[in-house]
Amino acid sequence: MTAGTKTAAGKATKGSKANKQGKITKKFTINATQPASDKIFDVSAFEKFLHDRIKVDDRTGNLGDTVVISQKGEGIIEVVAHQEFSGRYLKYLTKKYLKKQQLRDWLRVVSTSQGNYELRFYNVVNDEGEEDDD
Protein backbone atom coordinates (compact mmCIF):
# COMPACT_ATOMS: atom_id res chain seq x y z
CA MET A 1 0.00 0.00 0.00
CA THR A 2 2.83 2.41 0.67
CA ALA A 3 3.99 2.09 -2.93
CA GLY A 4 0.46 3.01 -4.09
CA THR A 5 0.38 6.16 -1.99
CA LYS A 6 3.77 7.21 -3.28
CA THR A 7 2.57 6.77 -6.84
CA ALA A 8 -0.57 8.74 -6.11
CA ALA A 9 1.50 11.47 -4.49
CA GLY A 10 3.83 11.42 -7.48
CA LYS A 11 0.89 11.86 -9.84
CA ALA A 12 -0.44 14.75 -7.79
CA THR A 13 2.95 16.45 -7.96
CA LYS A 14 3.10 16.02 -11.72
CA GLY A 15 -0.35 17.55 -12.07
CA SER A 16 0.60 20.61 -10.03
CA LYS A 17 3.76 21.07 -12.13
CA ALA A 18 1.67 20.99 -15.30
CA ASN A 19 -0.55 23.73 -13.91
CA LYS A 20 2.47 25.87 -13.03
CA GLN A 21 4.00 25.40 -16.49
CA GLY A 22 0.99 27.01 -18.11
CA LYS A 23 1.53 30.20 -16.09
CA ILE A 24 5.30 30.67 -16.46
CA THR A 25 6.42 34.26 -16.92
CA LYS A 26 10.11 35.07 -17.12
CA LYS A 27 11.47 38.59 -17.41
CA PHE A 28 14.94 39.44 -18.71
CA THR A 29 16.56 42.85 -19.13
CA ILE A 30 19.60 43.76 -21.19
CA ASN A 31 21.20 47.03 -20.13
CA ALA A 32 23.20 48.62 -22.95
CA THR A 33 23.15 52.22 -21.73
CA GLN A 34 26.93 52.59 -21.54
CA PRO A 35 27.73 51.62 -25.17
CA ALA A 36 24.53 53.31 -26.41
CA SER A 37 25.53 56.62 -24.81
CA ASP A 38 28.92 56.36 -26.58
CA LYS A 39 26.97 55.84 -29.84
CA ILE A 40 28.71 52.58 -30.81
CA PHE A 41 25.68 50.36 -30.11
CA ASP A 42 22.33 50.73 -31.91
CA VAL A 43 19.64 49.56 -29.48
CA SER A 44 16.78 49.58 -32.00
CA ALA A 45 18.78 47.44 -34.45
CA PHE A 46 19.55 45.00 -31.62
CA GLU A 47 15.85 44.84 -30.74
CA LYS A 48 15.01 44.02 -34.37
CA PHE A 49 17.77 41.37 -34.37
CA LEU A 50 16.17 39.71 -31.34
CA HIS A 51 12.73 39.82 -33.00
CA ASP A 52 14.16 38.09 -36.06
CA ARG A 53 16.33 35.50 -34.31
CA ILE A 54 14.52 34.29 -31.18
CA LYS A 55 13.11 30.82 -31.75
CA VAL A 56 9.77 29.73 -30.31
CA ASP A 57 8.86 26.08 -30.84
CA ASP A 58 11.98 25.64 -33.03
CA ARG A 59 10.88 28.33 -35.50
CA THR A 60 12.21 31.86 -35.93
CA GLY A 61 9.72 34.68 -36.38
CA ASN A 62 7.15 32.77 -34.32
CA LEU A 63 7.06 35.07 -31.27
CA GLY A 64 3.35 35.83 -31.13
CA ASP A 65 2.19 36.65 -27.60
CA THR A 66 4.54 34.16 -25.93
CA VAL A 67 7.67 36.36 -26.13
CA VAL A 68 7.43 40.15 -25.96
CA ILE A 69 10.47 42.33 -26.68
CA SER A 70 10.29 46.01 -25.78
CA GLN A 71 12.63 48.94 -25.29
CA LYS A 72 12.51 50.50 -21.83
CA GLY A 73 14.23 53.82 -21.45
CA GLU A 74 17.45 54.61 -23.25
CA GLY A 75 19.52 51.52 -23.94
CA ILE A 76 17.47 49.00 -21.92
CA ILE A 77 15.72 46.11 -23.65
CA GLU A 78 13.19 43.97 -21.80
CA VAL A 79 12.25 40.45 -22.89
CA VAL A 80 9.18 38.91 -21.26
CA ALA A 81 8.54 35.23 -22.01
CA HIS A 82 5.29 33.49 -21.11
CA GLN A 83 6.82 30.05 -21.61
CA GLU A 84 10.08 28.30 -20.74
CA PHE A 85 12.94 30.56 -21.89
CA SER A 86 16.65 30.45 -21.15
CA GLY A 87 18.73 33.43 -20.14
CA ARG A 88 21.76 31.70 -21.63
CA TYR A 89 19.99 31.73 -25.01
CA LEU A 90 19.51 35.49 -24.71
CA LYS A 91 23.18 35.91 -23.80
CA TYR A 92 24.14 33.74 -26.79
CA LEU A 93 22.09 35.90 -29.17
CA THR A 94 23.57 39.08 -27.70
CA LYS A 95 27.09 37.78 -28.23
CA LYS A 96 26.15 36.76 -31.76
CA TYR A 97 24.90 40.29 -32.49
CA LEU A 98 28.09 41.83 -31.07
CA LYS A 99 30.18 39.56 -33.29
CA LYS A 100 28.11 40.48 -36.34
CA GLN A 101 28.59 44.21 -35.61
CA GLN A 102 32.32 43.65 -34.91
CA LEU A 103 31.91 44.92 -31.35
CA ARG A 104 32.86 41.67 -29.62
CA ASP A 105 36.46 42.87 -29.13
CA TRP A 106 35.31 45.86 -27.04
CA LEU A 107 32.09 44.75 -25.33
CA ARG A 108 31.19 41.80 -23.14
CA VAL A 109 27.92 40.51 -21.73
CA VAL A 110 27.86 40.31 -17.93
CA SER A 111 25.06 38.89 -15.78
CA THR A 112 24.56 41.40 -12.96
CA SER A 113 21.81 39.36 -11.28
CA GLN A 114 19.40 36.62 -12.23
CA GLY A 115 17.61 37.69 -15.40
CA ASN A 116 19.62 40.93 -15.78
CA TYR A 117 22.42 41.32 -18.29
CA GLU A 118 24.64 44.31 -18.94
CA LEU A 119 26.93 45.21 -21.83
CA ARG A 120 30.23 46.46 -20.47
CA PHE A 121 33.48 47.58 -22.00
CA TYR A 122 36.55 45.46 -21.38
CA ASN A 123 38.89 47.00 -18.81
CA VAL A 124 42.00 48.07 -20.69
CA VAL A 125 45.06 48.93 -18.64
CA ASN A 126 47.45 51.37 -20.29
CA ASP A 127 51.10 50.38 -19.91
CA GLU A 128 52.52 53.85 -20.68
CA GLY A 129 54.91 53.74 -17.69
CA GLU A 130 56.70 50.68 -19.06
CA GLU A 131 57.17 52.25 -22.51
CA ASP A 132 58.83 55.36 -21.02
CA ASP A 133 61.54 53.26 -19.32
CA ASP A 134 63.25 52.49 -22.67
Side-chain angles (χ1 to χ4, degrees):
M1 286 193 163
T2 55
T5 53
K6 286 182 182 178
T7 309
K11 288 181 182 177
T13 341
K14 288 181 183 177
S16 63
K17 285 183 182 178
N19 290 338
K20 288 181 183 178
Q21 285 179 351
K23 298 178 183 178
I24 290 177
T25 300
K26 291 190 173 189
K27 181 178 169 183
F28 300 96
T29 57
I30 301 173
N31 186 352
T33 53
Q34 190 178 11
S37 65
D38 289 346
K39 296 193 179 12
I40 66 163
F41 188 80
D42 188 8
V43 180
S44 58
F46 177 57
E47 183 181 2
K48 184 182 181 323
F49 177 83
L50 289 178
H51 271 288
D52 296 341
R53 297 293 175 105
I54 289 181
K55 287 186 176 182
V56 177
D57 298 330
D58 297 330
R59 303 176 100 187
T60 57
N62 191 23
L63 296 181
D65 292 334
T66 55
V67 178
V68 178
I69 304 169
S70 60
Q71 193 170 339
K72 302 281 183 187
E74 187 172 323
I76 298 175
I77 291 183
E78 184 178 69
V79 178
V80 179
H82 299 293
Q83 69 175 27
E84 197 60 40
F85 195 79
S86 171
R88 295 288 300 170
Y89 180 57
L90 201 58
K91 185 174 180 177
Y92 161 77
L93 287 174
T94 305
K95 290 164 84 171
K96 190 170 185 172
Y97 177 78
L98 290 175
K99 185 70 172 176
K100 182 180 174 187
Q101 299 297 318
Q102 298 175 347
L103 295 172
R104 188 81 174 95
D105 295 335
W106 293 279
L107 294 173
R108 64 188 183 135
V109 184
V110 179
S111 176
T112 54
S113 65
Q114 186 174 0
N116 293 324
Y117 295 95
E118 185 176 345
L119 296 181
R120 292 185 183 168
F121 288 102
Y122 282 109
N123 294 333
V124 179
V125 179
N126 293 332
D127 294 331
E128 294 175 5
E130 294 177 10
E131 293 176 5
D132 293 338
D133 292 340
D134 292 338

